[in-house]
């Protein structure tokens, strides 16, 4: 009990930092055309591989330097954030809805529904997820909606497994039995009684999944299979940075820091939500 | 009891593999884009295209294609790669050892790092050391292997260039190997110069794969150790005069390790899944790197073969872990 309290007290400043970063990145992405100092697509070979502002040879207005085509890195990161957040919200929510619904049905109804859904989860878990994602995007064709769809198709199992186990536990509780005696139908009980009790886990997983979705999008961009090659994404900037690592390290370092901060923030949020709603820890 | 459990598991495993085969087959056939058209030079006649389609069996219905393919697979014939024009099984076996060596080295590192951190944390429980280990493992866990790989490339490939960040072995070296298990063979042949070169290439991708798993092991094993350390027999050992480290290593560890073992098994499959992108990142010539090329080239038979081999690896690991758990757990052994 002591330990949990310590953990929660220690979580608070971290939660503020995480929330602050996500809010900053989200606002920058939303207002990208107003915030970005340069056009993210404008190439200028006179300005290629400019270093970040504190190094010799930097140009004012190009705070984080430029890539090998002379494009402003900060502006590309800000615009790349748009794709990252759209994918994070859309893909994670879709995976969450599919996975939670199937998990709820499998856990609460049990029997054949559970057996079939659990077999499908087993099959899904036997695929290497990154390879599965690359394969799906290759099949669906590159583009924003393909990336979102691919992540939802792969990651629903994360929600399904957890929610199934929780719904199974809830289904054995006395309150479910009382609701049945009170005359509620099974689907009514599932939605009115069981669902609200598993919701905290759903929300915590959703936050974690957003971080995962950002990474998957970056991986897909990295192997050149995400959205069109023109629009900057964090993954495509990283791919460029990996190639010019010996000439312009900043093209890799800044998107990497951006990605790490974003992923850490999403997972801190998920952990904090889990701790807040977990009755044992509370 | 054990045999029955084994047979049930084996059956489930076959059902899972059959499911994987169906899913990958259906997904691939839905793909737009004609792989045959990509093989032929522009201006090839329709007859040529038809002949090639027949050669690869692409002129039959999707159900027919599936059972022809499945029949072949059961006889060890995975078809012919369209982009590399070689036997798929041969290609896969050529690359699989590189991936297995990388994954095994990564697993060993994860266990070593994770167990050390867990023992250290349990030994100094309630102190700043434990809090530090908690924070470090929490952060390490949140960052996936792909990002660790990039961090390592920056740190040890560019900033302090001590390790190789590209390839499996230095290209100028003359390799006397007859198998593809380079690391194992170099040790057996006592060619430690080659072992060192291989390890220098393998270390960075292996660490990237190992770190998230090491963090999970550290957290779970520390938790189990702390629970066991309050039990009577451990208290007795302490009263007998053993030091805290001795108590942990001699008494607590073997009883605390069982939950961690199960988890490591499941997580090892995630680690192997991670080799796909980590191999790409480090241009390591393993199965995962070949898989990405196969997808980009729309090489259907090769993709099918690789996915199926990965799936087989995953279910075999799960089966092994399950059986090991049953053998080690006294309650199941005598049940």
């Amino acid at each position: 009990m002591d330990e949990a309290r310590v953990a929660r007290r220690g979580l608070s400043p971290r939660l503020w930092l995480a929330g602050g970063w996500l809010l900053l990145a989200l606002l920058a992405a939303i207002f990208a055309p107003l915030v970005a100092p340069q056009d993210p697509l404008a190439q200028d070979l006179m300005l290629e591989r400019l270093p970040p502002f504190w190094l010799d040879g930097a140009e004012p207005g190009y705070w984080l330097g430029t890539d090998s085509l002379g494009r402003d890195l900060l502006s590309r990161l800000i615009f790349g954030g748009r794709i990252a957040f759209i994918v994070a919200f859309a893909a994670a929510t879709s995976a969450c809805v599919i996975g939670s619904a199937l998990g709820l049905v499998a856990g609460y109804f049990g029997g054949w529904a559970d057996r079939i859904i659990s077999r499908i989860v087993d099959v899904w878990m036997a695929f290497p997820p990154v390879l599965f994602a690359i394969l799906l995007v290759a099949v669906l064709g590159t583009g924003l909606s393909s990336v979102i769809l691919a992540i939802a198709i792969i990651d629903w199992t994360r929600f399904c497994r957890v929610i199934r186990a929780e719904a199974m536990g809830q289904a054995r509780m006395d309150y479910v039995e009382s609701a049945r005696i009170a005359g509620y139908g099974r689907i009514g009980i599932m939605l009115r009684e069981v669902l609200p009790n598993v919701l905290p886990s759903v929300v915590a997983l959703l936050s974690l999944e957003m971080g995962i979705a950002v990474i998957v999008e970056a991986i897909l961009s990295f192997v050149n299979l995400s959205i069109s090659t023109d629009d900057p994404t964090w993954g495509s900037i990283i791919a460029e940075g990996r190639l010019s690592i010996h000439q312009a390290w900043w093209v890799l370092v800044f998107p990497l820091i951006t990605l790490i901060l974003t992923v850490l923030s999403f997972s801190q949020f998920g952990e904090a939500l889990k701790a807040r709603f977990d009755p044992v820890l509370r | 009891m054990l045999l029955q459990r084994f047979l049930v598991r084996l059956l489930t495993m076959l059902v899972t593999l059959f499911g994987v085969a169906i899913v990958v087959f259906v997904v691939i056939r839905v793909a737009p884009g004609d792989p045959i058209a990509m093989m032929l030079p522009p201006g090839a006649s329709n007859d040529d295209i038809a002949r090639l389609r027949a050669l690869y069996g692409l002129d039959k219905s999707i159900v027919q294609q599936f059972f022809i393919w499945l029949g072949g697979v059961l006889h060890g014939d995975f078809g012919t790669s369209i982009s590399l024009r070689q036997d798929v099984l041969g290609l896969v076996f050529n690359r699989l050892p590189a991936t297995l060596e990388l994954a095994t080295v990564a697993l060993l590192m994860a266990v070593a790092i994770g167990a050390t951190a867990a023992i250290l944390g349990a030994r100094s429980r309630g102190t700043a050391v434990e809090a530090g280990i908690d924070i470090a493992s929490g952060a390490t866990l949140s960052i996936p292997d792909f990002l660790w790989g990039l961090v390592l490339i920056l740190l040890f490939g560019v900033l302090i260039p001590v390790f190789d960040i590209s390839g499996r072995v230095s290209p100028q070296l003359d390799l006397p190997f007859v198998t593809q298990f380079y690391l194992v063979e170099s040790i057996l042949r006592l060619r430690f110069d080659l072992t060192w070169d291989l390890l220098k290439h393998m270390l960075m991708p292996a660490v990237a794969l190992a770190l998230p798993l090491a963090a999970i092991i550290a957290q779970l094993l520390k938790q189990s150790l702390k629970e066991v350390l309050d039990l009577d027999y451990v208290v007795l050992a302490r009263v007998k005069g053993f030091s805290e480290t001795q108590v942990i290593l001699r008494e607590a560890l073997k009883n605390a390790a069982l939950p961690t073992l199960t988890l490591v098994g499941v997580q090892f499959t995630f680690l192997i899944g991670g080799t796909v992108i980590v191999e790409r990142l480090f241009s390591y010539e393993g199965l995962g790197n070949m898989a990405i090329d196969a997808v980009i080239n729309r090489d259907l038979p090769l993709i099918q073969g690789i996915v199926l081999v990965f799936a087989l690896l995953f279910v075999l690991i799960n089966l092994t872990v399950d059986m090991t758990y049953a053998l080690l757990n006294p309650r199941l052994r005598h049940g």
Side-chain angles (χ1 to χ4, degrees):
Chain A
M1 226 24 193
D2 259 2
E3 213 177 283
R5 224 173 292 141
V6 172
R8 279 229 293 156
R9 218 188 302 150
L11 216 54
S12 203
R14 275 195 276 165
L15 195 60
W16 278 106
L17 285 174
W21 166 258
L22 287 179
L23 192 66
L24 182 77
L26 183 64
L27 287 177
I30 292 173
F31 298 107
L34 301 174
V35 182
Q38 310 288 340
D39 176 355
L41 300 177
Q43 302 182 10
D44 187 342
L45 292 180
M46 300 299 287
L47 296 170
E48 65 170 46
R49 289 183 191 141
L50 291 176
F53 68 91
W54 67 87
L55 291 177
D56 288 341
E59 285 282 332
Y62 296 86
W63 298 103
L64 300 182
T66 61
D67 64 12
S68 53
L69 295 172
R71 296 174 296 191
D72 180 47
L73 192 55
L74 178 60
S75 306
R76 291 178 70 72
L77 284 173
I78 291 173
F79 273 89
R82 294 188 144 191
I83 311 279
F85 279 107
I86 292 173
V87 170
F89 293 131
T93 311
S94 317
C96 173
V97 170
I98 304 170
S100 306
L102 288 174
L104 204 56
V105 168
Y108 178 66
F109 285 103
W112 276 106
D114 183 30
R115 243 168 275 169
I116 292 169
I117 292 171
S118 296
R119 267 296 80 73
I120 297 175
V121 171
D122 277 353
V123 169
W124 249 243
M125 298 290 290
F127 278 95
V130 170
L131 183 55
F132 201 5
I134 292 169
L135 181 58
L136 280 177
V137 172
V139 168
L140 296 166
T142 52
L144 194 55
S145 51
S146 300
V147 172
I148 291 168
L149 192 60
I151 295 173
I153 290 176
I154 294 161
D155 277 348
W156 63 272
T157 55
R158 292 174 189 274
F159 292 87
C160 189
R161 282 184 301 154
V162 175
I163 303 308
R164 170 182 172 268
E166 295 226 338
M168 227 173 215
Q170 296 290 339
R172 290 198 205 95
M173 299 275 185
D174 287 341
Y175 76 90
V176 171
E177 191 55 36
S178 334
R180 192 161 19 229
I181 294 167
Y184 288 109
R186 297 191 74 184
I187 292 176
I189 296 174
M190 183 176 83
L191 295 177
R192 293 170 55 114
E193 307 288 338
V194 179
L195 180 61
N197 279 295
V198 299
L199 215 51
S201 303
V202 173
V203 176
L205 276 175
L206 184 63
S207 182
L208 289 175
E209 180 62 28
M210 286 183 186
I212 293 168
V214 171
I215 294 294
V216 175
E217 193 282 318
I219 288 176
L220 289 169
S221 294
F222 183 80
V223 294
N224 215 353
L225 273 172
S226 186
I227 63 160
S228 81
T229 44
D230 272 354
D231 291 313
T233 65
W234 291 347
S236 66
I237 303 171
I238 282 179
E240 289 158 21
R242 171 76 177 88
L243 291 177
S244 59
I245 188 169
H246 292 287
Q247 298 88 31
W249 51 265
W250 51 90
V251 185
L252 181 55
V253 168
F254 292 118
L256 189 54
I257 292 173
T258 311
L259 259 179
I260 289 177
L261 285 177
T262 308
V263 172
L264 276 179
S265 301
F266 274 126
S267 76
Q268 285 301 323
F269 244 88
E271 293 293 323
L273 289 171
K274 205 158 59 182
R276 174 147 303 231
F277 288 120
D278 193 331
V280 180
L281 284 179
R282 194 166 47 195
Chain B
M1 181 68 186
L2 263 180
L3 186 68
Q4 194 191 349
R5 191 184 165 93
F6 177 72
L7 290 176
V8 170
R9 284 289 164 159
L10 202 65
L11 199 68
T12 331
M13 181 180 131
L14 290 175
V15 174
T16 304
L17 284 177
F18 187 71
V20 169
I22 292 180
V23 171
V24 70
F25 202 87
V26 170
V27 165
I28 282 175
R29 301 296 137 157
V30 178
D34 188 350
I36 299 296
M38 286 169 64
M39 289 174 67
L40 290 168
S45 71
N46 284 340
D47 275 358
D48 286 341
I49 293 176
R51 208 174 311 127
L52 215 53
R53 292 187 75 83
L55 183 66
Y56 285 102
L58 296 172
D59 53 342
K60 302 198 173 63
S61 82
I62 187 164
V63 179
Q64 274 178 311
Q65 283 185 41
F66 178 72
F67 282 104
I68 291 170
W69 175 70
L70 196 66
V73 166
L74 292 177
H75 290 97
D77 174 14
F78 281 66
T80 308
S81 156
I82 295 177
S83 61
L84 301 167
R85 315 213 175 159
Q86 288 177 45
D87 177 46
V88 166
L89 202 61
L91 286 167
V92 169
F93 278 143
N94 209 19
R95 287 293 191 98
L96 186 61
T99 299
L100 287 180
E101 284 191 341
L102 176 63
T104 309
V105 170
L107 179 68
L108 294 176
M109 289 170 80
V111 171
I113 300 170
T116 309
I119 292 169
L120 203 65
R123 216 185 68 97
S124 41
R125 54 192 176 283
T127 67
V129 175
E130 195 200 356
I133 288 176
D134 283 345
I135 292 175
S137 62
T140 310
L141 181 59
S142 309
I143 301 173
D145 41 26
F146 174 62
L147 297 185
W148 278 122
L150 290 164
V151 170
L152 291 169
I153 284 175
L154 276 165
L155 287 181
F156 299 106
V158 181
L159 203 62
I160 320 165
V162 279
F163 294 106
D164 292 281
I165 51 166
S166 184
R168 188 182 180 196
V169 68
S170 299
Q172 70 275 15
L173 286 177
D174 207 14
L175 301 176
F177 302 139
V178 289
T179 69
Q180 294 295 321
F181 287 97
Y182 289 176
L183 192 65
V184 177
E185 212 182 324
S186 72
I187 295 170
L188 291 179
R189 286 174 186 267
L190 306 177
R191 287 289 306 274
F192 297 121
D193 54 325
L194 295 178
T195 311
W196 175 238
D197 188 76
L198 286 161
L199 281 177
K200 261 174 67 184
H201 282 82
M202 198 184 274
L203 204 60
M204 291 296 99
V207 171
L209 290 165
L211 281 175
L213 179 54
I216 299 175
I217 294 175
Q219 287 183 346
L220 190 71
L221 186 60
K222 183 174 72 100
Q223 195 55 42
S224 315
L225 276 175
K226 282 167 73 176
E227 279 161 23
V228 172
L229 284 173
D230 288 335
L231 296 180
D232 287 345
Y233 81 98
V234 179
V235 176
L236 183 68
R238 219 175 277 140
V239 172
K240 278 182 184 164
F242 288 117
S243 77
E244 193 65 16
T245 311
Q246 277 176 314
V247 168
I248 291 174
L249 292 178
R250 296 170 55 128
E251 306 287 341
L253 197 57
K254 65 172 184 274
N255 287 303
L258 203 55
T260 312
L261 179 79
T262 321
L263 183 98
V264 167
V266 179
Q267 293 290 328
F268 188 40
T269 63
F270 293 148
L271 188 152
I272 293 178
T275 59
V276 174
I277 192 66
V278 170
E279 284 181 0
R280 190 69 172 186
L281 207 49
F282 290 90
S283 313
Y284 184 88
E285 292 117 22
L287 198 56
N289 209 346
M290 185 164 76
I292 294 179
D293 284 332
V295 173
I296 291 169
N297 295 326
R298 295 199 178 281
D299 192 336
L300 311 188
L302 189 54
I303 299 170
Q304 280 166 187
I306 295 173
V307 171
L308 214 57
V309 167
F310 269 120
L312 182 66
L313 215 54
F314 286 11
V315 291
L316 279 179
I317 290 168
N318 284 329
L319 184 73
T320 312
V321 172
D322 197 59
M323 286 299 114
T324 317
Y325 182 78
L327 279 172
L328 291 180
N329 191 334
R331 259 169 291 182
L332 282 173
R333 194 167 52 209
H334 301 300

